[in-house]
Amino acid sequence: MGVENYTSNTVNLYNSTVSGTRSAIYNTGTVNIAGTVKAASDAVDSGRYCVNNLGTLTVDGTLTADGGNIGVANRKESNGSRSGTITVDNGTLICTGDSDGLSNRGTATVAGTLTATGKRNDGVYNYGGTLTVNGTLTATGNASGKQTDGLDNSNNGTVTINGTLTASG
């Protein structure tokens, strides 16, 4: 684990490089990104997320999350006790995962730029989450896969695009 941040705690990352095997960033509290932050995880088996978010993640700079089974997992506890929130204000979030680039089961709001690439599956997998894009979303899934999309919205998820969407898969 690179950075572990727990409930009621805040971590501010600025011009940093973070790496970890299971997760580069594990968050149940608050993580604020400014400047340029690179997160990397080399494990690609199930349950390995470059950024594993169950708290609040705010990106005002540039966060590049590369690796893991899922580049950024914005998760929700199965019992509904907590769920992740991602806000990309004027920043940029770039996420690449071996399976999905971004898996959203919580709430993600993008006023800046989100680029998500899934090497084997979906660029963005919105599974019961709420995704609102007022900025730019570029989502790329595996073009050779049978059921892969740039943007996959399922399980009563909500996607609202008021900005620019480019999706391929």
Side-chain angles (χ1 to χ4, degrees):
M1 200 75 59
V3 172
E4 288 184 83
N5 184 44
Y6 293 98
T7 305
S8 302
N9 293 315
T10 300
V11 171
N12 297 311
L13 294 174
Y14 179 77
N15 291 343
S16 307
T17 300
V18 181
S19 63
T21 302
R22 185 165 177 85
S23 294
I25 298 172
Y26 175 82
N27 178 44
T28 61
T30 300
V31 172
N32 299 310
I33 304 293
T36 300
V37 175
K38 295 181 181 180
S41 175
D42 56 2
V44 296
D45 45 322
S46 182
R48 309 288 182 166
Y49 314 125
C50 188
V51 176
N52 188 354
N53 185 52
L54 279 159
T56 300
L57 174 65
T58 303
V59 180
D60 283 322
T62 299
L63 172 59
T64 301
D66 188 9
N69 183 46
I70 297 172
V72 174
N74 194 38
R75 298 183 41 233
K76 181 177 186 176
E77 292 283 7
S78 58
N79 64 8
S81 63
R82 62 182 169 193
S83 64
T85 300
I86 296 176
T87 304
V88 181
D89 286 327
N90 295 315
T92 301
L93 173 58
I94 302 165
C95 43
T96 303
D98 187 60
S99 180
D100 298 321
L102 169 67
S103 176
N104 182 47
R105 294 175 185 230
T107 301
T109 305
V110 179
T113 301
L114 169 60
T115 301
T117 303
K119 292 179 182 176
R120 287 187 297 129
N121 290 327
D122 304 312
V124 174
Y125 181 47
N126 189 61
Y127 186 82
T130 300
L131 173 63
T132 304
V133 178
N134 296 314
T136 301
L137 168 61
T138 304
T140 306
N142 178 356
S144 64
K146 290 183 179 180
Q147 292 183 333
T148 59
D149 303 292
L151 172 61
D152 181 351
N153 184 46
S154 46
N155 199 40
N156 296 314
T158 301
V159 175
T160 305
I161 308 288
N162 297 315
T164 303
L165 168 65
T166 303
S168 63

